[in-house]
Amino acid sequence: VEAGARGMPRVTISARFFLSLSAAAMLTTATLTYFTTVAVLGHEETEGWGTRDFMRRRPGSVIAAVGWVVCAALLGCHVATVCVYEHMKSEQPVLLVKLAGTALVATSLLAHAGTIPGVREDYSWFLGLESFQVCLILWIGMNLLLNRSLAAASNAPSAAALRLDLAVGAGAIAALAGSIALGIYSAPCTLLIDGAWILLLIAFSFTDPRRAQIHLDSLHVATDTEVVAVMDDPFPGVPFFMMDLHGIKANLRAGAAAAAATAEMKTAASAEIVVSPK
């Protein structure tokens, strides 16, 4: 954070910053879930358990459920940052990026539902974590495909940076695919491969060759004049956004007009003082 125009704060957000936080939260949640469950139930009871067993049985399921809320929220921030960046800067198929991001966030909620104790026994068809992992594979693949546009660019990163991102991303995809296969067939001892894809995801968050960033400049509370200038622009994300509920828009317009009149009076008074004879 630094001073921008008019002395207002300027914030720079990396596109993969929230991904690194989300992956770190996943690793922390998984570690706490494992050690807490082993401490309560003992090594003999948990011997041969896979990652999904620790997430779906108490007391580990409680930690997993709470921790995954943080993971999903940070992952949503990452997706939003990438989608905004691609919408503003990229000539790539932005719609595909948005669809992949929406699917990733939606399936992260399904993965959270997979922490319910007994969900595997009562609903054997439910593959919440696996569906999230599939969408995460697609999301990583989408990011790797976006790097292809940099090869012919004048400011393209080095070939080594592109190869490093490709290698780490491909490794994460391979580990995720292995985790999905083992999870579907309820194979025991999936802790190592699940730990591998989380660690590779953390590494992937630091290898962005595009250095995609969003710069927020002159952060401040909008004045009435600034609000009036944009409040009639349509925004489909909020229903009934164009309605003037309780006369709020009328009050803002009146406030903006009063502020403009006051500014004109101050300008006129200053001009009169300057030109008046001594």
Side-chain angles (χ1 to χ4, degrees):
V1 180
E2 58 185 11
R6 297 184 294 176
M8 299 299 180
R10 175 188 298 163
V11 179
T12 300
I13 302 176
S14 171
R16 295 190 186 179
F17 169 69
F18 289 110
L19 178 62
S20 62
L21 294 182
S22 179
M26 292 179 191
L27 182 62
T28 302
T29 299
T31 302
L32 291 175
T33 299
Y34 172 80
F35 283 106
T36 301
T37 304
V38 171
V40 173
L41 300 181
H43 287 281
E44 294 182 358
E45 179 70 20
T46 59
E47 184 178 3
W49 282 17
T51 305
R52 291 157 179 79
D53 297 313
F54 284 95
M55 292 179 62
R56 293 169 179 161
R57 301 183 184 182
R58 295 187 180 90
S61 61
V62 178
I63 299 175
V66 175
W68 193 259
V69 172
V70 179
C71 299
L74 292 171
L75 192 62
C77 293
H78 161 66
V79 169
T81 305
V82 173
C83 289
V84 169
Y85 175 84
E86 296 299 336
H87 180 80
M88 298 176 64
K89 299 283 291 185
S90 179
E91 297 179 357
Q92 302 294 324
V94 179
L95 178 60
L96 295 179
V97 177
K98 294 179 179 178
L99 290 176
T102 301
L104 180 62
V105 174
T107 52
S108 70
L109 302 180
L110 296 180
H112 182 262
T115 62
I116 300 174
V119 65
R120 188 66 171 178
E121 292 76 10
D122 297 335
Y123 306 97
S124 58
W125 51 267
F126 183 74
L127 300 174
L129 180 58
E130 289 75 15
S131 62
F132 166 74
Q133 290 177 310
V134 169
C135 289
L136 184 56
I137 288 176
L138 296 177
W139 180 254
I140 295 174
M142 177 71 69
N143 280 268
L144 295 178
L145 288 176
L146 290 174
N147 292 341
R148 297 183 60 185
S149 62
L150 299 178
S154 58
N155 58 342
S158 65
L162 290 171
R163 287 195 296 266
L164 176 62
D165 193 56
L166 177 61
V168 177
I173 290 175
L176 282 164
S179 176
I180 293 171
L182 293 176
I184 290 177
Y185 292 103
S186 301
C189 296
T190 59
L191 295 174
L192 292 179
I193 194 166
D194 284 323
W197 72 256
I198 294 176
L199 291 175
L200 286 169
L201 188 62
I202 294 176
F204 183 71
S205 68
F206 291 99
T207 61
D208 184 10
R210 296 183 298 158
R211 302 300 181 196
Q213 296 177 333
I214 293 179
H215 302 280
L216 305 177
D217 197 4
S218 300
L219 298 176
H220 63 281
V221 178
T223 63
D224 289 349
T225 303
E226 292 172 329
V227 173
V228 169
V230 298
M231 71 180 180
D232 289 330
D233 295 343
F235 181 61
V238 179
F240 312 112
F241 186 71
M242 302 304 295
M243 295 180 62
D244 188 5
L245 300 176
H246 305 289
I248 294 176
K249 290 186 177 181
N251 292 334
L252 287 173
R253 287 192 178 93
T262 301
E264 291 178 1
M265 292 177 61
K266 290 181 178 180
T267 302
S270 299
E272 182 178 352
I273 292 173
V274 171
V275 302
S276 62
K278 294 183 179 181

